Amino acid sequence: MAIDPKVYDQNFYRVSFLLSRFTVPYLRNIYREFDGDILLNIVIGEIGTRNLGQFYEASRTSDTFESRLDDVNEHQRVLRPCNALSISDATGIPRETVRRKVNALIQRGWVSQNQRGHLYLTPSVAQHYQKFLLELIEELLPVSRELSELLEHPPALADHRMTPRR
């Protein structure tokens, strides 16, 4: 869906409100889930995105995607590795901070690191977050639908209404 800049400008405050209705509770939940350490979430998210991205794209239509990720013997063979340096480069978080966060994630059992320094999500992180992600999706979809409806079929606005400047 292409967003018409004029429609966006005319509905900027509504769009901001709808988006905030999702992002603020989401950030609160992330803050609680990671004991106030937002960087921990960014690091694990980056590891997961790098691990799964290539495999997901290649296996989009395959029904074996999830089963291969749950299989401990297949897990590291099918995931694309990354390391602390690549996470640091991608996020802008200093490498030493990334290393500390990786060590915390390893202690939680959510990330493993091989002898070459390659980082992988473990199957236990998926088990831990399955309910959390379901709740997240249930909160995201209604807001997404409302945003889409607003931007595709905007209400008639009076011409004198001010729109924010970019």
Side-chain angles (χ1 to χ4, degrees), residues 9-28:
D9 286 347
Q10 289 174 334
N11 292 281
F12 175 78
Y13 296 114
R14 293 170 197 242
V15 168
S16 295
F17 169 75
L18 288 173
L19 199 53
S20 292
R21 213 171 71 198
F22 169 75
T23 56
V24 172
Y26 169 70
L27 289 170
R28 277 195 311 258

Side-chain angles (χ1 to χ4, degrees), residues 40-52:
L40 205 58
N41 177 259
I42 294 170
V43 170
I44 197 170
E46 192 67 38
I47 293 169
T49 300
R50 288 171 176 276
N51 283 177
L52 295 170

Side-chain angles (χ1 to χ4, degrees), residues 3-121:
I3 298 172
D4 180 339
K6 184 176 179 182
V7 171
Y8 171 78
D9 286 347
Q10 289 174 334
N11 292 281
F12 175 78
Y13 296 114
R14 293 170 197 242
V15 168
S16 295
F17 169 75
L18 288 173
L19 199 53
S20 292
R21 213 171 71 198
F22 169 75
T23 56
V24 172
Y26 169 70
L27 289 170
R28 277 195 311 258
N29 289 337
I30 291 294
Y31 186 82
R32 275 192 296 271
E33 184 64 31
F34 287 89
D35 302 320
D37 191 346
I38 297 290
L39 291 180
L40 205 58
N41 177 259
I42 294 170
V43 170
I44 197 170
E46 192 67 38
I47 293 169
T49 300
R50 288 171 176 276
N51 283 177
L52 295 170
Q54 176 181 327
F55 182 68
Y56 175 76
E57 289 303 320
S59 305
R60 281 179 100 149
T61 58
S62 170
D63 59 355
T64 63
F65 179 68
E66 279 79 9
S67 64
R68 291 183 72 196
L69 290 176
D70 288 336
D71 182 340
V72 176
N73 297 321
E74 287 277 306
H75 194 75
Q76 286 190 11
R77 284 192 320 124
V78 297
L79 296 179
R80 186 176 117 206
C82 59
N83 59 34
L85 178 60
S86 65
I87 300 302
S88 176
D89 287 345
T91 62
I93 300 170
R95 191 168 31 177
E96 266 315 303
T97 302
V98 170
R99 284 194 184 123
R100 283 193 306 276
K101 301 306 175 190
V102 165
N103 288 334
L105 292 166
I106 290 170
Q107 288 178 346
R108 290 182 183 207
W110 295 347
V111 169
S112 65
Q113 186 172 26
N114 68 15
Q115 64 277 13
R116 297 180 68 195
H118 294 158
L119 304 171
Y120 300 92
L121 292 183

